[in-house]
Amino acid sequence: MNILVLGNGAREHALCFSIAKSDQLSKLFCAPGNYGISKIAEVHNFDINNFDTLYDFCLANKIDLVVVGPEVPLVNGVVDFLDSKKIMAFGPKKIPAGLEGSKIFMKDICSKYNIPTAAYKSFTEKKLACDYLKNHTFPVVIKASGLAAGKGVTIATSLNDGLLAVNDIFNDKFGSGCELVIEEFMDGEEASYFVFTDGTNYIPLSSAQDHKRIGDGDTGPNTGGMGAYSPAPVFTKEIQKQVDQEMIEPTLKAMRDLGSPYQGILYAGVMIKNNKAKLVEYNVRFGDPECQVLMLRLKSDIVDLILGTINGNISSIKTNWEENHAATVVMASLGYPNEYKKDTKIKNLELAENENDIEIFHAGTELKNTELCAVGGRVLSITGTGNDLQTALNKIYTAIDKIDWPESTFRKDIGWRAINNG
Ligand code: AMP
Ligand code: GLY
């Protein structure tokens, strides 16, 4: 098969890494891709949200299967579009993609199907949202309802913070529309859980946990994700059973009830406290950086799993995982998630790549005049495996030490909860 992966992050690099091992692959393409991906796939830089351009590309290159990495094209209906053109595509259609595309839609589904999640109220009028906050206790969580590239959530600890957040959303600061959800603050430990589903049946992936804050000890502003590890011990078999029964199954039923079954990968972000999970969010795609660690541990052919979600026979497909542990540490441009310098030079990457059991997945990299440059916020995912988490992390940090990139930042404490508890 000719397979096209859409996206340009380290998540898509990891997906390409996994797809490249499939017996079913004839030729791998990626758009828009990045420098790292160009080593294993033919990279074409076009606008993946322009569906006509995408269709022309698929026809010209005889693409059999499109694997959609990021949420924006899914929420815009790329799978519905490709389906109408008889091109197979991996991911949910537009209606079920609303589980990520609209927090109001997602919370209303939770309420209708009794899915455990934070109590909430949605608003489309600024004054009502502000009045509600004035009578609320803090902390409280304020979320733009639409897609906001991970920036639309504020944990407000005072009325002033809360009013600022409401103001930002109604000024459309995140380009996510003027609707919001105000919800109860949940404390606990977060974990990410993924299932491949054909709409009715589903198979779980191994558990993972990411680190969303920029600073060590989970401090500072939220980011797209600064590191991850798998398996995540906090996600016990018991929790998995609860999440399957109380979240995944009713959600799949809800989508069938709407006449648009969920096919693809469903990612539940959960908060665990006192051995009970509550749903924080749904995403309709792989997590980044969770995907990087999962792809290093997946032994099965990912293309079989992808086709199982499309063809409706996911339950007949076996998944095998390496018994080992994997972790990834994200190196970002210094200053991220705020302003950062572009075009800083990364040297000695090959020394890190030569370390044992290390894979480096690229996000914001470009080759400029034969020099590797950082052009984005999150730039490299240094990913490694070991018999236990500490061993995997030791290999990763040894590899990072070899990289000469002074204008970078990364967390030194990835996996700290699992290590402290283990
Ligand atoms: P979301 O985009 O809904 O996933 O939110 C991004 C991040 O904000 C989550 O991964 C949590 O770390 C945090 N968060 C979101 N909702 C809540 C909540 N109700 N209570 C505590 N933290 C939350
Ligand atoms: N790792 C968080 C996300 O992909 O949304």
Side-chain angles (χ1 to χ4, degrees), residues 139-245:
V140 74
V141 183
I142 299 163
K143 299 182 171 183
S145 178
L147 288 183
K151 299 193 174 72
V153 175
T154 302
I155 297 172
T157 49
S158 67
L159 178 61
N160 198 35
D161 282 358
L163 294 175
L164 284 174
V166 169
N167 220 28
D168 280 348
I169 294 170
F170 281 100
N171 287 334
D172 206 12
K173 181 172 171 189
F174 310 109
S176 53
C178 298
E179 292 183 327
L180 57 78
V181 170
I182 299 181
E183 65 178 46
E184 166 203 5
F185 173 78
M186 299 185 283
D187 75 31
E189 193 171 341
E190 279 188 85
S192 307
Y193 178 57
F194 303 85
V195 298
F196 277 106
T197 175
D198 55 18
T200 305
N201 295 307
Y202 62 96
I203 46 177
L205 277 76
S206 188
S207 58
Q209 193 174 56
D210 78 347
H211 296 258
K212 294 218 164 84
R213 305 294 193 97
I214 186 74
D216 286 350
D218 291 327
T219 54
N222 257 334
T223 69
M226 294 304 292
Y229 58 95
S230 170
V234 66
F235 202 84
T236 56
K237 283 270 162 248
E238 204 182 341
I239 297 273
Q240 179 173 343
K241 191 166 163 208
Q242 184 219 333
V243 171
D244 283 345
Q245 290 176 351

Side-chain angles (χ1 to χ4, degrees), residues 11 100 192 210 212 224-225 267 281 283 285-290 378:
R11 167 182 54 205
E100 179 166 1
S192 307
D210 78 347
K212 294 218 164 84
Y267 161 174
E281 60 167 344
N283 293 312
R285 42 148 182 102
F286 269 110
D288 183 346
E290 294 95 321
R378 290 192 297 167

